[in-house]
Amino acid sequence: MTAYPPEPWHLAGQAYLSVWRVPVNELPALPEGAEPVVAGGRAQVFTAWIDYQEPGQLQYHELLATVAVRGKRLSSSITDIWVDSEVSLAGGRALWGIPKDLATLDFTHGRTFTASAATHEDWIATAAFTVRPSLPVKMPAAFDVVQMLDDRLKRSPVRAKARPRPAAADWRINEHGPIGFLAGQRPVLSACLRDFTLVFGG
């Protein structure tokens, strides 16, 4: 069994995210008991490319899709997620029920951030983010990640700090792939979270 740190995990790095509004009937399956937040017949889906860096406990790359769900505070349920770290995969599944899979993730940082994700079977997605100039303000956030673990719904707390900047994002998504439900759509909002830190788990 792959060894992984006990919770909570203290992580840091750079994140590039987009927000999508998706018709409820096109959403991937959510854990039993998790209800999407719906407005105008659409749910909010967040996708993110995350580069976990030092001084965080683990360094690896990640692509995820998560759906905003009901809760006492901001909550989401991760439906699809890929990492290039077996340690992260093992810990995410065992500690929080996060359905991590392995993929090849290539990131290039610069004036434009580019990323791609593929499994040995097929490509998943590519994206390019151009960060817009703005005054970076460090913002705290707290939310729950809601997953099924040991046949029960588990809510795991996350506490984060980041410097968000608006961004323009150009996504290409394999319509036959696992996040094909987003293919052909455009995100309603994109951002870069510079130099974030987060504490995942209780």
Side-chain angles (χ1 to χ4, degrees), residues 20-28 41-45 181-182 185:
W20 314 69
R21 296 192 71 236
V22 178
V24 175
N25 60 3
E26 295 180 14
L27 287 178
R42 292 177 179 264
Q44 287 69 52
V45 176
F181 66 97
L182 296 174
Q185 300 192 49

Side-chain angles (χ1 to χ4, degrees), residues 54-104:
E54 294 182 340
Q57 285 177 283
L58 299 174
Q59 292 81 53
Y60 62 96
H61 301 109
E62 182 173 271
L63 169 63
L64 66 84
T66 186
V67 179
V69 297
R70 296 185 180 278
K72 292 182 178 180
R73 63 176 182 173
L74 183 66
S75 301
S76 72
S77 184
I78 299 170
T79 58
D80 300 276
I81 181 169
W82 298 269
V83 296
D84 57 5
S85 161
E86 292 189 1
V87 173
S88 173
L89 182 147
R93 285 178 171 266
L95 295 172
W96 307 297
I98 298 174
K100 295 185 179 184
D101 286 314
L102 289 176
T104 299

